[in-house]
Amino acid sequence: MKINRIQLNNFRNYKNSIIDFSDGINFIVGRNAQGKTNLLESIYLSSVGKSPKSCREKQIIMFNENQSKIELSFSTLAGNKNIKFFLDRTNKKSIKVNNINILKLTEFVGILSVVYFSPDELKLIKEVPEDRRNFLDISISQFDRTYLYNLLRYDKILKQRNSILKSTDSVESKIEQLDLFTPQLIECAQIIIEKRLNFIEKLKNIATNIHKFITIDENLDISYSYINTSGLSIKADLQKEFDKVKLKEIDLGYTCVGPHRDDLIFKINGMDCKYYSSQGQQRTVALVVKLSLMEVIKNEIGEYPILLLDDVLSELDQNRQDRLIELISKYQTLITCTKIPETKIKYNIIKVENGSII
Ligand SMILES: Nc1ncnc2c1ncn2[C@@H]1O[C@H](COP(=O)(O)OP(=O)(O)OP(=O)(O)O)[C@@H](O)[C@H]1O
Ligand SMILES: [Mg+2]
């Protein structure tokens, strides 16, 4: 895929700007607080439907303005498309693809495929399992609608199941109701776990190679931590585990088993990155995972997504920077920096100053 042009109206510090992009590397360069991250945010928003920052939606509207608009045109193997995003202070929001209104987020995800990396993505390695599950869910949903469908269904059944567990009903009545919901939950859980395992296997094979290329002497391993007790089928294992924890769940008041409790584990040379790796190593792993995701998505959908890299260069040593630039030149990459690094590779420059392109 290739983004050709974006037009921003009252989006953060962009009053009215049109920005054209080229193939390969596009350096978005400027001093601090000029609008580099905001530009990447607008593209992410046009792809995923929400901001990568944990902010309130209305915060994207320019101060003292009432509405914000993004218009983005891009090319895919299936032809040229455009996305229009609109939000106002009354929370009226609309997303259009080729001028047709999108009513459900499930219809929207994956139309413009992007892979995003910012220093915040370190949470993929450092923070809680929920961040890693989010990574799995957002990544797989980009190319697999069945996954997204089952994920949404799983969440719905899980909520119903938890409200039964929390209710004041008798234990007998709870058991009776759980017996209705647990098989439905297991059905979705099995699909989610199988698809996650399949994705991680593909990601791992690519990531190990890219990681070796960037670091030279480190060995990366990625695995999925889930209920896997007997080596039987996932369904049988889940069933067995649910039977085992039934009374404990009633006591605790929530569902203790299932993909909403699973985790992703990264190891360098056999050591868990979360506990043993340096900051630079963790950053490199998070970045390598995102670069590998580019390849996995390409294998699934037949073309590369757009790569958005925020503030990544200043944090890597020269060798790692050189290898990274070499790797990303084959994608359409939008990469922010305060100073353009020395490189022999061809690139385009977009200079940002105070919400304008100069
Ligand atoms: N809703 C808004 N309306 C107007 N300006 C905003 C809004 N939200 C954020 N800004 C401003 O946008 C400016 C630029 O932010 P941005 O994060 O894009 O900077 P940056 O160029 O990435 O800087 P850095 O190099 O420090 O990362 C900030 O100074 C902020 O005050
Ligand atoms: Mg920034």
Side-chain angles (χ1 to χ4, degrees):
M1 288 187 191
K2 187 193 162 211
I3 300 181
N4 299 312
R5 165 174 285 193
I6 191 163
Q7 185 164 355
L8 302 173
N9 285 102
N10 298 330
F11 179 86
R12 295 228 185 245
N13 66 339
Y14 289 88
K15 179 75 195 146
N16 204 342
S17 289
I18 293 178
I19 304 143
D20 292 316
F21 301 96
S22 67
D23 286 331
I25 298 180
N26 292 258
F27 281 115
I28 298 164
V29 61
R31 290 175 295 117
N32 294 134
Q34 302 304 305
K36 302 184 298 295
T37 300
N38 293 347
L39 179 55
L40 295 192
E41 182 189 22
S42 69
I43 295 168
Y44 185 95
L45 193 66
S46 310
S47 163
V48 180
K50 60 180 187 187
S51 169
K53 295 181 187 168
S54 45
C55 64
R56 297 235 310 279
E57 211 160 33
K58 275 188 279 191
Q59 288 171 353
I60 64 156
I61 303 173
M62 185 176 237
F63 306 142
N64 302 320
E65 294 293 339
N66 291 321
Q67 56 182 49
S68 196
K69 278 193 264 182
I70 305 172
E71 191 171 336
L72 190 150
S73 59
F74 62 107
S75 316
T76 72
L77 287 178
N80 290 340
K81 294 182 181 170
N82 78 72
I83 291 177
K84 288 181 187 161
F85 177 94
F86 171 92
L87 181 75
D88 76 9
R89 293 229 179 254
T90 65
N91 268 338
K92 196 173 141 210
K93 178 177 172 179
S94 78
I95 300 175
K96 287 182 185 170
V97 176
N98 292 348
N99 292 321
I100 295 167
N101 257 317
I102 299 289
L103 301 174
K104 282 196 233 149
L105 210 58
T106 45
E107 290 170 20
F108 181 58
V109 174
I111 289 182
L112 170 66
S113 193
V114 304
V115 169
Y116 178 79
F117 181 87
S118 77
D120 257 10
E121 303 299 304
L122 257 187
K123 64 181 183 225
L124 179 65
I125 314 292
K126 283 170 97 161
E127 300 291 332
V128 290
E130 190 185 356
D131 289 317
R132 287 179 282 282
R133 290 193 297 266
N134 278 340
F135 161 74
L136 290 173
D137 294 342
I138 293 175
S139 303
I140 305 172
S141 299
Q142 288 223 22
F143 56 81
D144 190 337
R145 292 271 159 104
T146 320
Y147 181 83
L148 183 57
Y149 170 79
N150 277 283
L151 194 65
L152 296 174
R153 198 167 118 79
Y154 181 85
D155 280 344
K156 209 169 136 195
I157 304 168
L158 185 67
K159 281 199 185 91
Q160 286 167 323
R161 200 175 180 278
N162 283 340
S163 70
I164 296 168
L165 287 165
K166 266 195 220 91
S167 74
T168 52
D169 297 352
S170 68
V171 172
E172 291 73 28
S173 156
K174 282 186 186 178
I175 289 178
E176 211 170 282
Q177 295 176 71
L178 288 179
D179 285 346
L180 279 177
F181 281 99
T182 308
Q184 295 177 40
L185 195 75
I186 290 178
E187 198 186 306
C188 293
Q190 182 196 356
I191 296 171
I192 294 168
I193 295 174
E194 274 170 2
K195 285 185 181 285
R196 283 183 182 173
L197 283 168
N198 189 278
F199 169 74
I200 291 161
E201 187 58 29
K202 289 176 185 159
L203 188 82
K204 183 179 84 174
N205 291 337
I206 297 167
T208 308
N209 286 331
I210 297 183
H211 192 260
K212 188 121 242 159
F213 175 76
I214 294 185
T215 65
I216 300 180
D217 55 358
E218 290 179 6
N219 229 322
L220 174 69
D221 186 45
I222 307 176
S223 60
Y224 185 53
S225 159
Y226 70 114
I227 147 137
N228 181 12
T229 46
S230 66
L232 292 172
S233 71
I234 293 169
K235 193 173 175 180
D237 279 345
L238 283 167
Q239 186 60 61
K240 220 167 111 192
E241 201 61 20
F242 271 115
D243 288 342
K244 205 165 96 190
V245 298
K246 198 181 273 181
L247 292 176
K248 183 178 152 198
E249 284 190 325
I250 291 174
D251 195 33
L252 291 170
Y254 58 83
T255 305
C256 311
V257 184
H260 67 292
R261 310 275 291 179
D262 294 349
D263 201 358
L264 195 57
I265 295 165
F266 300 98
K267 287 185 181 168
I268 291 179
N269 300 339
M271 308 282 248
D272 194 325
C273 287
K274 188 172 174 180
Y275 305 112
Y276 297 106
S277 293
S278 76
Q279 186 93 339
Q281 282 178 309
Q282 291 181 338
R283 211 164 268 143
T284 307
V285 171
L287 186 60
V288 164
V289 166
K290 293 298 173 106
L291 296 176
S292 313
L293 181 59
M294 293 291 291
E295 299 293 333
V296 174
I297 296 180
K298 153 92 188 316
N299 291 339
E300 295 291 337
I301 68 171
E303 59 186 322
Y304 282 119
I306 317 294
L307 182 60
L308 307 174
L309 298 178
D310 196 15
D311 272 350
V312 59
L313 291 175
S314 57
E315 298 170 334
L316 297 175
D317 66 36
Q318 194 61 49
N319 283 337
R320 289 186 187 206
Q321 269 192 36
D322 293 344
R323 294 203 172 85
L324 176 69
I325 291 173
E326 190 184 328
L327 272 175
I328 62 176
S329 60
K330 67 173 160 176
Y331 314 127
Q332 187 188 37
T333 305
L334 278 49
I335 176 168
T336 69
C337 54
T338 48
K339 187 171 157 272
I340 293 175
E342 272 186 36
T343 172
K344 289 193 192 82
I345 287 168
K346 251 182 73 190
Y347 56 81
N348 177 38
I349 306 178
I350 295 160
K351 277 193 187 146
V352 181
E353 199 174 293
N354 199 14
S356 296
I357 306 303
I358 53 166

